[in-house]
Amino acid sequence: MNSTINAQNKGLEKANLAYNKFAFIKAIALYEQEISKGNTSFEVYSKLGNSYYFNGNYPEAIKAYSNMIDHLNNVDSEYYFRYAQALNSTQNYKTAEEVIKKYYKRSGKNDISDNWNENKLMESIKKQSNRYTINSVSINTPFSDFGTALYGKDKVIYASAKDTGVIIKRKHSWNEKSFLKLYSADVTMDDGLQNPVVLKDDINTKYHQSTPAITKDGKTMYFTSNNYADGKLGTDKEGTSYLNIYVAHNVNGEWSSIKKLAFPVNSDSFSSAHPALSADESKLYFVSDRNNKFGNSDIYVLSLNKGGFVGNDVKKLGDEINTLGRETFPFVDDTGILYFSSDGHPGLGGLDVFAAIKDQKDKYHVVNVGDGVNSTADDFGYVIKRSTKKGYFSSNSSGNDDIYGFTENKPIDFGMNINPFVFGTVRDFDTKKELEGVVVEVFNLADEKVNMVYTDADGNYKVEVEPLKEYKFVFKKEKYAQKTEQIEPLKLLGSKELSVDLINEWEVIVDNKRKEIKEGIDLKDVLNLNPIYFDYNGYNIRESSKPELDKIVALMRDRPKVSLQVNSHTDSRGRDDFNMKLSNNRAKATVNYIIAQGINTNRITGKGYGESRLINKCSNGVSCMEAEHQLNRRSEFIVIVNEQ
């Protein structure tokens, strides 16, 4: 009897040792042997189910979890959740909903099992359907290819387990597939991928490398690797090696200065993997199984400093994102939308890709990105370039991990308006009374009018804009000077208040003083401009004069009824005919500069007067200092009122 018990204990010890080292294929065989010998304990069935589950063999995981839950008492509520996950992954939606209800009843948590209802689930998927055009890429192999990262304008870096020429392939004990290396590939004109090349630098070790995240300038890369340094694998006390995140820098085209990120990102006692950068590259998202006895992974975030240095403010994302399932492969697009894969949120099966956005209360709203990308298999590694609406994702829907390209044909529906907006109030400058009927025109960077609204009876307006784009707002009302304001890019769900006061079109405030604009007046005097000087015998606009001319441009832009006559003068030195030609060239150069800033050609003319209108005694034959001659090399800007 004792020998039988000892044999069982040794068999279970071997199985647990393999399980703890993530050698799940080996663990499965050993646990099955234990069951055949009559060991039907909670430990055996739970770890057998987990071993199948972690390898994506959901039908066998269901059998193990079912045996455990149906025949054993006091099973942790978390196993009901995982059992429901496995059922959902095999499209047993009705049974999955029944099991998840038991989980919420046993756990005492807020019951949201209705989200697992098949009709509701399929309706949410349908809402996001037909959004993608999917195409295969030519770099896929019979081995695992996944985890694409955008690299510059026309490259990607991805992970592959394809044969690199080693006769005996090194196996990863988690799933008995070849170890992964990082490769680069070129993006083709039709957004396919070609010319895969293994990274030759110090990035690739003899163990795993995968899931890179690269800064927009292409100089820094974060990636996943085994805890490997100085030729050795780092392990915990039991000899288990975990995944860590590393950073590398591109110097003269080579990835070097590779360092493992410090604690609290990495540790010898838990895994951290799949890094992702926030839109402004100030934060690092990553996945970790820390503090997680159930073996699932969660998404974390922390601050990121220049040079690849991370802060110590690691924060687990909230329950809107993280579940008792596996949340993994985060990616943040340029608008701030967080994409990730999960089998803990109800989906089509296996890992589905989800999108999440924070509202004004800092709470994430999560939706399934829909079919096309998502399938009944594992779908993950989603990346998108927002400007082109093109990207890549990975899936094992073909039976192996492959990369797919896609085009997003319409935006995701979060069930709420997520575009930013600009709002404000327009008032009279003098009376501060709200102005009704003010035209608010919105222009894009190409100076194309993209929207137009009017202020209401209270002088208020509101305009929706696209995220991360610059705009120009122009406020117009009869008898008032126009007001032009630039709007910096806004994030999704962002807003900006832009309130303005409009002044009488024939007045201007300069140095806190009100000045009148009228026919025949010189704007140089109205705007207190510094003189527009030219070099001796030259007619190019000085850099020092451009800010002064820009003030004239601003006044004319906001007052369409103001036209100008530019008068240009020279000093007395040189021949009279030469000076006349020189002054005409100076007038022309001044007019051309103002036109180049967007003022219509029919609103400005120029004329040269040579040395015929000197403003001091420095005529021909009179000895003067250079500074006195320079006073005569000037321009005048005479107002012409255009009432049309």
Side-chain angles (χ1 to χ4, degrees):
M1 174 68 79
N2 288 336
S3 60
T4 301
I5 294 175
N6 289 334
Q8 288 180 342
N9 288 341
K10 287 183 178 180
L12 184 57
E13 286 177 5
K14 288 182 179 179
N16 288 341
L17 181 62
Y19 180 90
N20 292 333
K21 288 181 175 291
F22 307 129
F24 294 128
I25 300 297
K26 182 178 181 180
I28 287 170
L30 293 172
Y31 287 128
E32 293 283 14
Q33 287 180 14
E34 287 299 300
I35 292 173
S36 69
K37 296 175 183 177
N39 188 346
T40 57
S41 65
F42 167 80
E43 181 178 21
V44 168
Y45 272 123
S46 63
K47 290 182 177 178
L48 176 63
N50 290 344
S51 297
Y52 280 124
Y53 172 86
F54 285 130
N55 271 279
N57 190 339
Y58 301 116
E60 293 299 325
I62 289 171
K63 292 179 183 178
Y65 292 145
S66 176
N67 278 319
M68 176 181 64
I69 288 173
D70 291 345
H71 300 101
L72 298 173
N73 296 321
N74 300 320
V75 175
D76 289 346
S77 60
E78 286 84 352
Y79 279 99
Y80 284 84
F81 191 96
R82 184 160 286 179
Y83 184 23
Q85 283 178 270
L87 289 163
N88 187 81
S89 296
T90 55
Q91 294 77 58
N92 292 309
Y93 300 120
K94 184 176 180 180
T95 308
E97 183 185 5
E98 294 172 355
V99 174
I100 202 69
K101 284 182 181 295
K102 294 179 181 178
Y103 160 73
Y104 284 113
K105 183 177 180 180
R106 293 174 69 93
S107 67
K109 293 185 176 181
N110 182 37
D111 188 348
I112 55 173
S113 57
D114 285 348
N115 292 339
W116 293 67
N117 177 268
E118 182 175 0
N119 292 333
K120 185 174 181 180
L121 172 60
M122 293 307 155
E123 186 63 30
S124 67
I125 299 295
K126 183 179 178 181
K127 189 177 181 181
Q128 311 291 350
S129 65
N130 301 317
R131 295 197 311 111
Y132 295 101
T133 301
I134 309 296
N135 62 284
S136 298
V137 298
S138 61
I139 63 172
N140 289 318
T141 70
F143 305 95
S144 289
D145 306 282
F146 70 92
T148 313
L150 304 174
Y151 180 30
K153 294 181 179 180
D154 56 2
K155 285 184 178 294
V156 299
I157 294 180
Y158 70 103
S160 178
K162 67 181 181 176
D163 189 356
T164 57
V166 179
I167 296 175
I168 301 175
K169 295 175 185 174
R170 183 173 296 277
K171 300 290 187 180
H172 179 207
S173 56
W174 188 306
N175 56 12
E176 289 195 353
K177 292 186 178 180
S178 301
F179 271 73
L180 301 161
K181 307 297 178 190
L182 292 179
Y183 290 74
S184 68
D186 298 327
V187 179
T188 64
M189 293 294 291
D190 59 356
D191 299 299
L193 298 175
Q194 64 182 12
N195 303 327
V197 178
V198 65
L199 298 189
K200 297 294 187 183
D201 309 314
D202 295 332
I203 292 289
N204 285 317
T205 69
K206 60 183 179 180
Y207 293 101
H208 265 311
Q209 286 73 221
S210 67
T211 54
I214 307 164
T215 55
K216 293 182 178 68
D217 63 10
K219 294 181 179 180
T220 305
M221 175 168 64
Y222 301 88
F223 64 98
T224 305
S225 182
N226 288 96
N227 184 7
Y228 182 75
D230 299 325
K232 296 181 180 180
L233 277 176
T235 64
D236 64 7
K237 294 179 180 179
E238 283 72 38
T240 302
S241 179
Y242 295 88
L243 297 176
N244 282 182
I245 297 174
Y246 290 74
V247 61
H249 299 282
N250 195 310
V251 180
N252 298 323
E254 295 184 0
W255 293 107
S256 59
S257 303
I258 301 169
K259 294 182 180 179
K260 182 172 70 174
L261 298 186
F263 185 85
V265 175
N266 292 319
S267 170
D268 288 340
S269 58
F270 55 74
S271 283
S272 295
H274 311 322
L277 294 164
S278 63
D280 61 2
E281 300 183 351
S282 67
K283 294 180 180 179
L284 184 73
Y285 293 81
F286 65 97
V287 175
S288 182
D289 61 359
R290 67 189 66 197
N291 302 322
N292 215 323
K293 67 176 184 178
F294 203 54
N296 53 295
S297 57
D298 294 310
I299 299 176
Y300 292 77
V301 66
L302 80 165
S303 60
L304 188 62
N305 303 313
K306 291 183 178 180
F309 297 100
V310 298
N312 58 4
D313 53 342
V314 170
K315 179 182 178 182
K316 181 180 174 181
L317 298 189
D319 292 342
E320 316 98 89
I321 301 293
N322 290 315
T323 69
L324 283 173
R326 292 174 291 185
E327 278 68 52
T328 186
F329 291 97
F331 171 78
V332 182
D333 73 10
D334 289 338
T335 65
I337 295 177
L338 169 65
Y339 295 90
F340 65 98
S341 289
S342 172
D343 60 10
H345 293 271
L348 289 174
L351 291 172
D352 271 21
V353 177
F354 295 84
I357 188 170
K358 277 187 177 181
D359 61 19
Q360 289 88 343
K361 297 181 180 179
D362 211 35
K363 181 180 179 181
Y364 277 109
H365 294 254
V366 179
V367 296
N368 190 298
V369 303
D371 57 13
V373 167
N374 286 328
S375 66
T376 57
D378 285 336
D379 309 294
F380 55 98
Y382 183 104
V383 299
I384 185 171
K385 181 178 280 189
R386 183 51 55 193
S387 59
T388 63
K389 299 180 181 178
K390 297 179 183 294
Y392 303 93
F393 72 98
S394 305
S395 176
N396 65 358
S397 56
S398 66
N400 195 40
D401 294 338
D402 285 325
I403 298 169
Y404 297 85
F406 70 82
T407 300
E408 185 186 62
N409 301 316
K410 61 179 180 179
I412 195 164
D413 185 356
F414 282 97
M416 59 181 179
N417 190 354
I418 64 173
N419 280 334
F421 61 90
V422 180
F423 69 100
T425 305
V426 184
R427 297 180 174 86
D428 182 281
F429 180 84
D430 293 312
T431 66
K432 303 304 178 185
K433 181 181 178 181
E434 293 82 6
L435 296 177
E436 181 181 5
V438 177
V439 179
V440 184
E441 295 178 336
V442 184
F443 296 84
N444 61 19
L445 278 180
D447 212 30
E448 300 167 329
K449 188 191 297 185
V450 295
N451 205 344
M452 183 177 73
V453 299
Y454 295 85
T455 56
D456 61 19
D458 296 318
N460 297 323
Y461 74 95
K462 181 179 179 180
V463 181
E464 183 179 309
V465 295
E466 291 189 47
L468 300 177
K469 291 188 177 181
E470 294 182 29
Y471 291 94
K472 179 177 71 176
F473 275 57
V474 180
F475 301 85
K476 298 179 179 178
K477 187 172 178 63
E478 186 67 23
K479 297 183 179 180
Y480 288 90
Q482 294 178 183
K483 188 83 170 181
T484 302
E485 297 284 352
Q486 299 295 135
I487 297 295
E488 295 297 317
L490 298 174
K491 295 180 180 180
L492 287 172
L493 292 172
S495 64
K496 179 177 178 61
E497 181 176 3
L498 178 59
S499 296
V500 300
D501 293 342
L502 298 185
I503 193 171
N504 184 300
E505 65 179 322
W506 298 113
E507 293 180 338
V508 63
I509 304 298
V510 180
D511 298 332
N512 296 320
K513 293 182 180 179
R514 188 189 304 267
K515 293 191 176 183
E516 184 181 1
I517 303 169
K518 58 185 179 180
E519 182 89 23
I521 197 170
D522 188 347
L523 283 186
K524 175 171 61 64
D525 300 325
V526 174
L527 298 177
N528 292 343
L529 297 180
N530 294 317
I532 308 300
Y533 290 130
F534 297 89
D535 294 331
Y536 177 62
N537 284 348
Y539 54 86
N540 291 326
I541 303 295
R542 286 183 179 178
E543 288 297 321
S544 61
S545 293
K546 290 180 180 179
E548 304 304 300
L549 292 177
D550 290 342
K551 296 175 185 177
I552 294 172
V553 171
L555 184 142
M556 295 184 71
R557 182 187 59 205
D558 293 340
R559 294 165 177 81
K561 294 180 181 179
V562 171
S563 295
L564 286 184
Q565 168 69 42
V566 177
N567 299 329
S568 183
H569 306 272
T570 69
D571 61 34
S572 63
R573 293 175 294 181
R575 299 193 318 271
D576 291 356
D577 59 341
F578 174 83
N579 284 336
M580 185 60 70
K581 182 178 180 180
L582 181 62
S583 63
N584 276 318
N585 284 336
R586 288 174 175 173
K588 183 179 179 180
T590 303
V591 168
N592 287 343
Y593 179 86
I594 292 174
I595 290 173
Q597 310 314 306
I599 301 302
N600 196 295
T601 57
N602 62 13
R603 293 179 58 199
I604 185 166
T605 58
K607 183 177 180 180
Y609 288 90
E611 59 184 86
S612 64
R613 295 187 179 183
L614 303 176
I615 61 174
N616 56 24
K617 62 181 177 63
C618 299
S619 59
N620 290 335
V622 177
S623 177
C624 290
M625 302 290 291
E626 172 59 28
E628 294 175 292
H629 284 299
Q630 183 166 268
L631 293 175
N632 290 314
R633 299 195 301 270
R634 69 197 188 280
S635 293
E636 299 166 335
F637 304 90
I638 308 304
V639 171
I640 300 171
V641 176
N642 176 19
E643 291 293 351
Q644 293 184 350

